[in-house]
Amino acid sequence: MHVMETTTTMMRSMAKPEGMAMDMMKMQEAIDACSMSMQACTMCADAMGGMEGMGVCASRCAMCSDVCMTTMRMMMRPAGMERTAMVAMLEACIAMTAACMEECRTHADMSATCAMCADACEGTNAACSALLASMATDA
């Protein structure tokens, strides 16, 4: 069985967070997107870290990777999830991916790594926004 199929099956069988309505498939999409951004941002931070004038890009990508990883790990533990903290974490991830995407888009024409990172951040931003919107509607 493919790893993505396995995690999707696991998410379907996990209990929803107590006292909180949440679309578990939207959460799985957000987990997958955060994983993708975490990887893309790490690679971009590494690639840009040694380049002249790319310190802001490298730093922003490193921070974005950390925020995506933490957000992803929180979503992977729905039994202990607390609504206020999860909303705050999703909002932080949405803000950080928007900032990283904006920075990387400015370099996308000269760097395939920045273009890839911007695209990954865009996907994560959309997935976390959709999850957050579903929480607001269902709660």
Side-chain angles (χ1 to χ4, degrees), residues 7-89:
T7 56
T8 300
T9 301
M10 289 171 57
M11 287 305 294
R12 285 186 182 136
S13 65
M14 289 176 85
K16 288 186 179 183
E18 189 151 331
M20 186 181 346
M22 182 174 286
D23 183 327
M24 297 302 275
M25 291 314 297
K26 279 190 178 19
M27 189 161 69
Q28 179 61 52
E29 291 167 8
I31 288 170
D32 293 342
C34 281
S35 177
M36 183 66 72
S37 283
M38 180 187 70
Q39 294 171 57
C41 289
T42 298
M43 291 167 44
C44 194
D46 183 63
M48 297 302 118
M51 292 180 69
E52 182 71 30
M54 297 301 284
V56 170
C57 185
S59 181
R60 199 165 287 174
C61 288
M63 287 187 286
C64 191
S65 177
D66 291 344
V67 170
C68 288
M69 180 180 67
T70 302
T71 304
M72 177 182 70
R73 290 177 61 90
M74 284 180 72
M75 287 186 283
M76 292 171 68
R77 299 180 180 118
M81 200 176 283
E82 193 278 326
R83 181 176 172 69
T84 302
M86 193 69 238
V87 167
M89 198 68 217

Side-chain angles (χ1 to χ4, degrees), residues 65 76 99 109 117 126 129:
S65 177
M76 292 171 68
D109 60 340
C117 187
S129 294

